[in-house]
Every structure is written in C-alpha cells, then in structure tokens.
Amino acid sequence: MKLLATTNGGLESIAAAEICDLVDGDASVHHRGVLEFDADVEDVYELHYRSRTLHRLMAVVADGTVAELEDVYALTARSSIPDRLPNEEFGVVGTRHGSHEFTSVDVAERVGQATIDAYRDATGTRLPVDLDDPTVRLEAYLYDDRFTLAVDLTGESLHKRPYRICEHDAPVRATLAYSMLEIAGWTSDESLVDPMAGSATIPTEAALAATEAVPRPDLDPAFDALPGYDGERFRRLRDDHTEKSPTLDIEAREKRKRWRHCARVNREAAGVEDGFEIVEADAREASIDADCVVSNLPFGIRTGTDLRELYGAFVDRLREGDVGRLVALTTKPNLIPIEPTVRYDIPYGRLDAAIVVWEP
C-alpha cells in the first residue's frame, strides 16, 4: 500500500534514510514535510514504535489529478474509503497549495460529503462526524492539480515524547533533535557534547537512540478500530522490542540552574539516568573536546544575550579544542563566524532557521 509520512520540512532526506533503514522503503518527497513510499502493515507497526524522525503515518486511499472542486468529490467517492474506515466518528483536514478558486475548507467539506455518501452507499450507514476529536482523521492534500487523500494511522504525533515533562522556554522538537544527530553522523561509540543543552532534548534523544529504546512507548494508534490493522499485534511487537545497554560518553552542558534541573527531570523520565552527564558550564568559557558537538543555539531577544558575542566566543572554544564535527540549529546563522560545510534551511515555527554543519 501507499503511505504518506510527515516529518520536519527541509529534512525529508533524513527521514527518508530512516525509512529505508527500518523497513527498506524507498521514500520520495510528496511535498514539503511529507514523504510517500510503499509499505505493508508490518512496516506500519514497526515505524510506529521505532521511528525517531517521523511525526505521522497515513494510508493513501485516493491519489490523482483534479481540475475543479467537484473532481475532489468524485475522486473521493470512487476510492476504497468505505473499506478503510470503521463506523466511528471521522473528521477531515484539508491542505491546499496553488492557484484555485476555492479554499482548504472547501476541499475538506467536499471530501467529508463524498466520504459520507460513499460509506452510506456501500454499507447503508451514515458515518458520524466529529471535527474536534474524531476516532479517525482524514488528511486531504491538494497541491496544484494533484489531490491525495489519506487515513491518519497515528493519532497523536510521534514527536510528542513522553519524557518532555519539564520544558525549556524554546525547546527543540525531539524529531528535529534526533535528525541533527543523524546529520552529525554520531554513533554511540563517539563522544558527544551539547554545550547549550537547555532541558537536554538532544542528549536525551542520543541516549534513547543508542539504547534503541522505543521513543513513544505510550503511543496508542487507532489500530483497534481501523479495518486491516491489529492493535494487539502492534502492542506485542512494541513490548517485545529489545533494547541495548552501551557505555556512552555524552555531556549536557548548561549554565542556568533552572534548566539543569529540567534536564535531570527529563533524563529520569526517559529512563536514561546513566545515559549522559549534566554539568554546569558556560559555552563562552568552557573548553570543548568531543567527536560531535550538537546544539540548539539560543536566539531571540528573550535570551538577554548579545548573540554575536555568544556565538563568537563559542566558536573560539571550538577552534581551541579538539572537535570532530559541529551541528548547530539557529535562526541567526549569519552570526556564527564559520563557513559551514553543509547547511539545511528549515522552518522553525514561524521563523526561518538553519542547521549548519562544520568540520574544523
């Protein structure tokens, strides 16, 4: 079957590589932040308990070209959607890009009506609608003339890690943190330092990945309700997954006591108390020796810090130390006094950001 997977925009290649590694899927970009690939039900289960870069998985039920709004209705009505939905509340989210004489809301409405009509024709039953908290959500994408309709399999996004109990004012998304580790090429036998760790999302993701721990052990997709899926089998596969216990050299540095406390709380919640050290250190002053330095650099006026001075002093410490690779996320890449070897431009909320890679 054809699947869609959402991920961090601009980092589709990182997610595609993970899909290939986990289930041998050959993923391509459907549109920014969304991949498409072929997989089977067992792959769906595995990605839900092992993926660290994906946010949501969806099963495609319709895919084709449309010229006008009523083509959206027709394509939905002709799809296999009556066989793919339970007799439970459903809702539709519409996303439209391009030049059209109608809105995303119009797309969602026509998909919803076609779904109700097709299900009633096939079963004699009218599907209930719940736009706020449906059992099953449909995602309708219209990009120029390509229309794709998919059933959401995941529910709550995979990026919402349960260990995130105590959060920094500007926390990095867990899937983005892990993607940065992948960009760095970090492996569990290398030393890793996050010199501005905040509440320690990057070190925590590193420790979880090294131990091969399930990133969302609390996840409860709608596999019990969706036709063709087996919730009990998913839970059994997840619970039978084997973790590792490597010896790690990971250090989370943070100068503020408040965030060091948060880091300890999150480390314990993640079950990786022995996975990394949390130390008091100022990135402008502390020397750095590490195979990989991966960090979400502070930015914005709320830091109360001269960013140019901070970034400059930090890079001075990198140059003085013995560092193999730097991977840094910032909305102010022009303030970092280095020439990056690779740069990934990504959206960061409503801001434009970049992940820069530097090998001294």
Side-chain angles (χ1 to χ4, degrees):
M1 63 178 164
K2 180 75 73 177
L3 293 180
L4 298 182
T6 60
T7 188
N8 294 291
L11 300 178
E12 294 86 358
S13 62
I14 308 301
E18 184 190 45
I19 291 169
C20 181
D21 180 57
L22 293 180
V23 299
D24 199 27
D26 184 14
S28 59
V29 177
H30 183 279
H31 60 273
R32 187 172 179 84
V34 179
L35 297 166
E36 58 181 331
F37 59 102
D38 293 319
D40 58 27
V41 172
E42 293 296 304
D43 296 333
V44 168
Y45 297 150
E46 184 161 6
L47 288 170
H48 271 95
Y49 70 83
R50 292 191 65 192
S51 173
R52 302 177 191 279
T53 66
L54 302 182
H55 298 162
R56 200 177 296 279
L57 289 158
M58 297 166 280
V60 174
V61 295
D63 191 23
T65 57
V66 299
E68 55 189 33
L69 189 59
E70 284 311 301
D71 294 336
V72 170
Y73 178 97
L75 194 55
T76 302
R78 292 197 306 268
S79 73
S80 61
I81 204 163
D83 300 324
R84 309 289 284 275
L85 296 184
N87 185 13
E88 303 280 353
E89 290 126 338
F90 83 101
V92 184
V93 175
T95 303
R96 181 195 62 83
H97 286 267
S99 179
H100 306 95
E101 295 182 353
F102 47 84
T103 67
S104 298
V105 174
D106 295 327
V107 171
E109 187 280 327
R110 297 315 290 151
V111 168
Q113 189 60 57
T115 299
I116 291 171
D117 294 345
Y119 196 88
R120 182 171 51 205
D121 291 344
T123 68
T125 302
R126 188 186 193 281
L127 279 176
V129 176
D130 186 339
L131 300 181
D132 297 320
D133 187 25
T135 301
V136 179
R137 187 178 72 172
L138 301 179
E139 290 277 358
Y141 294 111
L142 179 59
Y143 273 68
D144 296 321
D145 65 347
R146 184 183 182 184
F147 171 72
T148 308
L149 177 64
V151 179
D152 175 31
L153 305 176
T154 304
E156 186 178 50
S157 176
L158 291 166
H159 87 271
K160 295 183 178 180
R161 308 288 205 252
Y163 69 79
R164 298 280 288 260
I165 295 173
C166 186
E167 291 209 339
H168 192 272
D169 287 341
V172 62
R173 182 178 286 176
T175 51
L176 182 52
Y178 176 75
S179 295
M180 292 170 67
L181 293 165
E182 286 292 286
I183 290 170
W186 177 76
T187 58
S188 60
D189 59 350
E190 292 183 306
S191 57
L192 171 69
V193 171
D194 182 348
M196 296 175 245
S199 51
T201 299
I202 291 171
T204 302
E205 286 297 311
L208 289 172
T211 59
E212 296 191 8
V214 174
R216 279 296 309 267
D218 62 325
L219 185 70
D220 187 23
F223 294 145
D224 288 321
L226 289 168
Y229 297 90
D230 184 340
E232 182 57 37
R233 175 159 180 75
F234 164 72
R235 289 185 287 272
R236 186 168 60 251
L237 289 168
R238 179 190 61 193
D239 295 343
D240 289 345
H241 178 67
T242 302
E243 298 183 7
K244 296 181 178 180
S245 301
T247 300
L248 301 174
D249 183 4
I250 304 174
E251 191 171 271
R253 298 180 178 181
E254 175 56 49
K255 72 172 186 176
R256 292 179 174 83
K257 181 178 180 180
R258 174 186 178 186
W259 303 132
R260 293 197 305 274
H261 168 73
C262 269
R264 287 190 290 271
V265 169
N266 292 339
R267 182 179 61 180
E268 180 178 358
V272 291
E273 294 92 331
D274 299 327
F276 59 92
E277 298 294 325
I278 301 169
V279 300
E280 180 180 0
D282 189 327
R284 294 169 297 187
E285 301 173 358
S287 61
I288 303 178
D289 295 310
D291 295 313
C292 290
V293 175
V294 182
S295 193
N296 174 25
L297 304 185
F299 58 86
I301 59 174
R302 290 195 301 173
T303 63
T305 302
D306 182 333
L307 293 183
R308 188 178 297 277
E309 185 272 332
L310 170 64
Y311 290 4
F314 168 52
V315 169
D316 286 343
R317 302 293 82 74
L318 291 175
R319 294 185 190 276
E320 292 169 358
D322 184 8
V323 174
R325 296 176 297 281
L326 165 71
V327 175
L329 169 66
T330 178
T331 62
K332 308 289 186 182
N334 58 305
L335 297 184
I336 305 177
I338 59 172
E339 185 64 35
T341 53
V342 182
R343 170 172 164 162
Y344 297 82
D345 292 311
I346 63 170
Y348 195 80
R350 296 183 178 181
L351 302 174
D352 292 326
I355 295 172
V356 297
V357 182
W358 181 55
E359 297 182 2

